[in-house]
Amino acid sequence: MTRHENTPVPVEPHGAYVSGVWQPGAGETRTVVDPRTELPVAEVSEASPEQAAAAVAAAAEAGPAWAATSVEERAQALRALAAQLRQDADELRHLVVQELGAPDALAEKLHVGLPATVLDATAEAAGEIAWQRRIGNSSVELEPVGVVAAITPWNYPLHQPVAKLAGALMAGCTMVLKPAEQSALTALGLARAVDRAGLPAGAFNLVLGGPEIGAALVGDPRVDMLSFTGSTEVGRRVGAQVVERCGRVALELGGKSPSIVLDDVSDSRLEAAVKVTLANCFLNSGQTCTAWTRLLVPRSMAGRVEELLATYLARHVPGVTMGPLISKEQAERAERYVAGALNQGARMLRDREAEARRPRTGHYVTPVVLLDVDPSSQVAQEEVFGPVLSVIAYGDEREAVEIANGTRYGLAACVWSDDEERATAVARRIRSGQVDVNGGRFNPLAPFGGFKSSGIGRELGVFGVEHFCEPKSIQY
């Protein structure tokens, strides 16, 4: 990390927000670094395990009163928080840009705008839930699972916590959030918004910290449910610890999502498929779990696809339209995947002008398209989490589906065809939690989550609320 030792660094005084009260962190001090400049932007005092335990206790104490509120009261609380996020948009955007290095426009629309939309959508979805239904001689009722511990990553530092908060609070649960260390400032911004919006004390609590704080939450028997977003390896480990004590889990993990071009596409549809797939793969500098990182194309179209890729690749320029990766380690990891693919026979497209314009300070990586990729190779099987697209040629539709399903992941996918019915039929054969047809738009009311090693459970909309509930049957 490059530092100027004589430059004063702002110090954030708070490391925890517990039962509506701000607390200085009693744990270690951590430096937050701007990945664009590699310079420190703040010093943050992290919470201690004792403060994490106090946050769980606060959530447990606030639980009965919050669970007893009406559905409309909870929905109104989410709407109030959505309004507060919009009011705080400039502050939150600044924090996301500092911590993640995201371009201003992306930070404003995606990182700050989407969470407010999710809150409103969840409040709307609550009216569609059958909170109580009669089945034979039983009354089946949905009750909140209880105290939720949410552990979230840095790549979407506001959206990920809000997606969990929205579903949990709407279900009547209370929450303790432990954000990624790299995105502590944005998490503090969210807690300030919660405080300003007037949510009841203890309904939402925040503790900053690293693995030690995460472990304290995972191991606390008062935590009824863990909602975790992150790598598959860590998710499996922490999920197993919670299940060992019969706790509930929601895991949103990795992905290796395919974008499948069928052989009936017109040239205009093919252009759209290439352009949108590149934009999707490189969104947030490739640091997106749902990124379409495998472009599957008919062998007969491979030459035309390569031409289009070379054309549209020039639109993605580090330091202009794309931010850096979160760290030096992450940037080096992406480059190792590229080097490994080239050693295994892949060819590389990398825009020379974009490479020449790439800032030499900061963790920037020039986006790469890999051609002639073997579907069984490492780069085609593992999540890179950087701006790297693998192009895989196939023979027929059966082989395309086989390749698409041929990884341990199943989070997202896209199918491109001039025949919507055919595309939908193929979409139904893809083992993933969400599939877009011809670049279908994101829907904050639809369930979000994965098959296989991409996770357990769903977020967003009706399904995202119900996942934080336990059904109870009362017989008469």
Side-chain angles (χ1 to χ4, degrees):
M1 179 178 70
T2 303
R3 294 191 59 168
H4 298 296
E5 297 297 339
N6 295 326
T7 303
V9 178
V11 177
E12 286 288 337
H14 303 129
Y17 176 75
V18 178
S19 197
V21 178
W22 289 102
Q23 300 179 3
E28 296 182 357
T29 298
R30 188 180 299 271
T31 302
V32 178
V33 176
D34 186 332
R36 299 168 301 173
T37 64
E38 303 178 57
L39 295 173
V41 295
E43 297 284 348
V44 175
S45 61
E46 297 183 331
S48 66
E50 292 75 20
Q51 287 177 304
V56 174
E61 183 177 354
W66 181 247
T69 59
S70 68
V71 171
E72 183 49 44
E73 285 177 297
R74 294 178 220 158
Q76 188 54 43
L78 294 193
R79 294 188 187 100
L81 181 54
Q84 190 63 54
L85 291 184
R86 293 186 176 101
Q87 188 172 327
D88 297 347
D90 285 345
E91 173 191 342
L92 292 166
R93 175 186 52 77
H94 174 70
L95 295 174
V96 171
V97 170
Q98 273 196 318
E99 291 187 306
L100 195 60
D104 278 339
L106 183 70
E108 180 178 357
K109 182 178 181 180
L110 181 64
H111 288 287
V112 178
L114 178 59
T117 299
V118 165
L119 286 163
D120 284 335
T122 305
E124 176 186 342
E128 302 176 14
I129 295 174
W131 296 95
Q132 181 178 3
R133 71 191 81 175
R134 190 78 180 198
I135 301 177
N137 65 308
S138 301
S139 173
V140 180
E141 303 173 4
L142 296 182
E143 292 191 359
V145 71
V147 175
V148 175
I151 299 178
T152 57
W154 46 262
N155 59 324
Y156 286 89
L158 188 61
H159 169 67
Q160 296 283 9
V162 166
K164 299 179 186 305
L165 175 156
L169 292 188
M170 193 64 248
C173 300
T174 53
M175 170 176 282
V176 180
L177 170 66
K178 203 271 329 162
E181 306 92 292
Q182 299 91 332
S183 54
L185 301 180
T186 304
L188 289 170
L190 171 60
R192 284 192 290 270
V194 167
D195 194 63
R196 293 164 183 164
L199 268 68
F204 171 86
N205 306 273
L206 169 72
V207 284
L208 303 182
E212 182 183 34
I213 301 303
L217 295 178
V218 168
D220 195 317
R222 296 169 297 179
V223 170
D224 299 292
M225 180 172 179
L226 170 70
S227 184
F228 172 89
T229 298
S231 72
T232 297
E233 288 69 30
V234 176
R236 281 175 169 164
R237 186 169 67 250
V238 298
Q241 293 174 37
V242 175
V243 171
E244 178 69 22
R245 56 178 174 81
C246 293
R248 305 295 184 261
V249 295
L251 305 175
E252 199 266 283
L253 308 176
K256 195 66 189 176
S257 303
S259 180
I260 308 162
V261 178
L262 299 184
D263 59 11
D264 64 355
V265 293
S266 61
D267 196 60
S268 62
R269 180 84 67 189
L270 182 62
E271 288 183 14
V274 171
K275 180 170 63 175
V276 175
T277 298
L278 275 177
N280 179 285
C281 182
F282 298 156
L283 179 69
N284 209 38
S285 302
Q287 300 169 129
T288 302
C289 56
T290 56
W292 305 335
T293 54
R294 295 180 295 151
L295 177 59
L296 278 55
V297 300
R299 288 192 180 90
S300 61
M301 297 181 181
R304 175 60 176 151
V305 167
E306 183 173 343
E307 293 174 0
L308 292 169
L309 286 166
T311 298
Y312 291 121
L313 188 58
R315 298 185 177 187
H316 302 278
V317 182
V320 181
T321 60
M322 294 176 61
L325 272 64
I326 191 66
S327 66
K328 178 182 179 182
E329 293 75 19
Q330 194 66 30
E332 291 175 343
R333 182 174 184 268
E335 294 288 10
R336 284 198 302 272
Y337 272 102
V338 172
L342 296 178
N343 287 336
Q344 291 182 316
R347 293 184 293 121
M348 180 176 69
L349 285 179
R350 181 175 249 170
D351 187 75
R352 292 180 179 178
E353 184 176 346
E355 174 64 13
R357 296 171 65 186
R358 177 172 62 87
R360 300 307 161 183
T361 300
H363 309 308
Y364 291 91
V365 172
T366 306
V368 169
V369 173
L370 296 169
L371 305 167
D372 304 331
V373 173
D374 184 327
S376 65
S377 64
Q378 184 182 37
V379 76
Q381 290 289 317
E382 298 180 7
E383 187 175 42
V384 176
F385 228 58
V388 179
L389 175 68
S390 296
V391 182
I392 301 171
Y394 69 85
D396 57 21
E397 184 180 294
R398 178 202 57 77
E399 185 184 7
V401 171
E402 184 178 286
I403 292 171
N405 289 333
T407 75
R408 63 174 174 155
Y409 297 111
L411 189 55
C414 186
V415 181
W416 301 88
S417 173
D418 283 359
D419 183 340
E420 189 172 292
E421 288 188 9
R422 182 188 178 194
T424 302
V426 171
R428 291 189 173 120
R429 295 162 63 191
I430 305 302
R431 296 277 297 163
S432 67
Q434 41 272 316
V435 185
D436 297 345
V437 170
N438 292 329
R441 292 184 298 111
F442 175 76
N443 181 1
L445 289 169
F448 178 88
F451 288 19
K452 301 187 287 186
S453 291
S454 286
I456 297 171
R458 294 294 182 266
E459 295 180 344
L460 306 181
V462 169
F463 294 88
V465 176
E466 290 181 343
H467 199 71
F468 289 101
C469 295
E470 293 275 26
K472 173 187 285 186
S473 300
I474 302 175
Q475 281 64 247
Y476 297 94

